[in-house]
Amino acid sequence: VLSGSFSLAESIDRVVATIDGEPILESEVVRFARSKSSQPSLILSQEQLEDFTQQYVSDELLQREAAALGVRV
C-alpha cells in the first residue's frame, strides 16, 4: 500500500488511449492540453483529461487521414 505517495504516482506515465495499436500516453495528452491553454502549469481533473484525450485522438486521426490523402495541415 502506497499511502501518501502522490509524487510517485505522478512519475508513472499511463496509456490513456490507443490509435491503431499505438499507445497514447497521459503525458502526451497533458502536453496537448497545455498547448491549448494559456496556463502552462495546467492541472487536469479526470473529466478534463478524458475530454482532452478525445480531442487529442480526434486531432491525431484527422492528421493521419489528411496525410494519407496527401493533404498538408
Side-chain angles (χ1 to χ4, degrees):
V1 177
L2 296 174
S3 177
S5 297
F6 189 65
S7 62
L8 175 62
E10 286 182 324
S11 67
I12 298 173
D13 204 1
R14 64 188 176 107
V15 174
V16 292
T18 59
I19 299 175
D20 296 330
E22 181 183 324
I24 305 301
L25 301 177
E26 183 174 342
S27 62
E28 293 175 79
V29 174
V30 169
R31 272 193 304 276
F32 172 78
R34 287 179 178 160
S35 75
K36 302 290 183 187
S37 170
S38 60
Q39 302 173 10
S41 60
L42 177 69
I43 297 174
L44 301 175
S45 68
Q46 185 61 37
E47 183 178 343
Q48 290 171 315
L49 177 64
E50 291 169 7
D51 290 344
F52 277 111
T53 298
Q54 289 179 349
Q55 289 178 34
Y56 181 90
V57 169
S58 293
D59 284 6
E60 184 66 26
L61 289 172
L62 285 172
Q63 288 180 22
R64 290 180 185 201
E65 184 66 24
L69 296 172
V71 178
R72 298 179 83 182
V73 244

